[in-house]
Amino acid sequence: MSVAESKPPTLQERVAARIGTLTATERRVAEYLSAHPQEAAFSSAEELGRATGTSDASVVRTAKALGFDGLPGLKRSLQGHLQSLLTPANRLSASLETAGDDPEAVLSATLRDHIERLSQAESSIDTAGFRRAVDLIIGARETVICGFAGLEGVAEYIATHLTRIGHQARAASDTGYRLADRLLLLSEQDVVITIGHNRINRETRVILDYCASIGTPVILLTDTLGEALRDEVEVVLSAPMSRPGTFTSQATVLILLEALTIAVAAQNRDQALGYADRMNQLREELNGYSLADEGLLTLPKAKRTPRRRG
């Protein structure tokens, strides 16, 4: 067992793994606790009951349903992670409302928040799992990247870069019946990379079930679904994608996928560089001139509108 796998699941991971087994009241409480970890770490059962429109007994039952020994155990777990929960970046991001629409404040908050999440990712990602993911991609006949709800462009981007280093890859981000077409030719010789946040949507569920039925290994990139899906995939790469209660950022996803691509290229430098040379040759033929001459080319000068006199 790796160091990352031996760590206890976070509150968000517990909620994601058990959300389907909770009652409606427990779900309301669990979703509030997941979105407001700082309040949950220091509030009493009565205070949390009022905040969720339930009762103190419901709060305690929910904590137990999530695998804690009660509310004290849940609070101890959150307080143990207080240093990461109360980082300057998170506090600044939570203060965006008070910053109003000032662009400089928004820029600063966003950059600091992403820097903090990437720092957390560096310590949370299982390095043995990352190496296993690289090996799976290298050994696969084809790598299929599945990203939905705004991740279609990311999936296409990484598929393109894997292709450029000599690995057959494609994106499969369609929904509905068209996803069936994208999955149909998968085999045990391929590998699927799928990205999931917070909820197991229908597409992810179908992908996991179909891959299991035909023996295709799956690499899961996630923030909170690691505990829920660990037994159904070959590799889990868990990293914080966004702060609870905020919109989901894809920056960590993109950087993690780029790291996988670079690591794959590093394992076979000659192949990667060879395909890069081929791509340059094709581009030169398409351009009609050497890429080395691009620096000598100049754009046409903009036409200046003559000033009116008087």
Side-chain angles (χ1 to χ4, degrees):
M1 181 176 294
S2 68
V3 174
E5 291 177 335
S6 66
K7 294 180 180 179
T10 65
L11 171 62
Q12 288 75 27
E13 288 176 326
R14 290 175 186 261
V15 171
R18 296 169 173 81
I19 196 71
T21 65
L22 302 178
T23 66
T25 299
E26 290 170 346
R27 180 177 296 186
R28 183 192 305 176
V29 175
E31 290 178 341
Y32 177 87
L33 297 176
S34 180
H36 303 86
Q38 297 179 30
E39 288 85 345
F42 297 104
S43 299
S44 66
E46 292 79 8
E47 291 170 335
L48 292 173
R50 287 195 298 270
T52 57
T54 60
S55 65
D56 56 346
S58 296
V59 173
V60 174
R61 283 197 301 271
T62 302
K64 292 181 177 180
L66 293 175
F68 296 101
D69 60 4
L71 184 59
L74 184 151
K75 292 171 67 173
R76 284 196 302 271
S77 175
L78 288 176
Q79 291 169 9
H81 295 286
L82 190 58
Q83 185 175 0
S84 63
L85 289 172
L86 296 179
T87 58
N90 284 344
R91 288 199 301 269
L92 181 58
S93 184
S95 301
L96 272 177
E97 292 184 4
T98 61
D101 57 359
D102 178 60
E104 292 184 7
V106 172
L107 175 62
S108 178
T110 303
L111 291 175
R112 289 178 182 274
D113 195 42
H114 280 75
I115 290 170
E116 183 59 36
R117 279 205 300 274
L118 290 173
S119 296
Q120 293 172 0
E122 188 175 17
S123 60
S124 68
I125 293 174
D126 177 13
T127 54
F130 184 85
R131 179 178 292 276
R132 174 60 177 154
V134 171
D135 290 341
L136 286 171
I137 296 171
I138 291 174
R141 179 186 66 90
E142 182 177 54
T143 299
V144 178
I145 304 99
C146 302
F148 308 98
L151 284 162
E152 297 88 350
V154 172
E156 289 282 358
Y157 173 80
I158 294 303
T160 298
H161 279 271
L162 283 171
T163 301
R164 288 176 178 175
I165 61 172
H167 287 267
Q168 187 169 326
R170 60 184 170 91
S173 300
D174 301 272
T175 57
Y177 287 167
R178 290 185 63 84
L179 180 59
D181 297 327
R182 303 294 179 261
L183 301 179
L184 191 60
L185 297 181
L186 282 174
S187 75
E188 68 277 1
Q189 297 177 345
D190 303 318
V191 63
V192 168
I193 300 175
T194 189
I195 307 159
H197 300 311
N198 301 320
R199 296 287 185 273
I200 304 172
N201 58 30
R202 179 174 296 181
E203 288 78 13
T204 300
R205 183 72 273 160
V206 169
I207 289 168
L208 294 177
D209 291 344
Y210 184 65
C211 287
S213 70
I214 62 175
T216 304
V218 177
I219 301 167
L220 173 65
L221 273 63
T222 186
D223 48 359
T224 61
L225 296 177
E227 184 186 15
L229 299 177
R230 190 175 300 279
D231 293 337
E232 300 186 49
V233 299
E234 184 73 19
V235 176
V236 172
L237 297 178
S238 290
M241 306 298 180
S242 60
R243 194 167 48 85
T246 65
F247 68 92
T248 300
S249 168
Q250 309 304 350
T252 306
V253 171
L254 179 58
I255 291 173
L256 189 51
L257 286 169
E258 287 186 334
L260 281 172
T261 303
I262 295 171
V264 168
Q267 296 302 304
N268 193 336
R269 294 172 181 265
D270 291 340
Q271 174 181 293
L273 293 174
Y275 274 92
D277 286 338
R278 288 191 200 179
M279 184 178 66
N280 286 341
Q281 292 172 7
L282 287 170
R283 286 181 172 181
E284 288 178 350
E285 292 180 13
L286 291 168
N287 286 336
Y289 55 81
S290 171
L291 293 180
D293 296 334
E294 282 191 342
L296 303 178
L297 299 178
T298 57
L299 294 175
K301 295 182 179 180
K303 294 182 179 179
R304 294 184 179 180
T305 302
R307 296 181 181 179
R308 295 181 180 179
R309 296 183 178 179

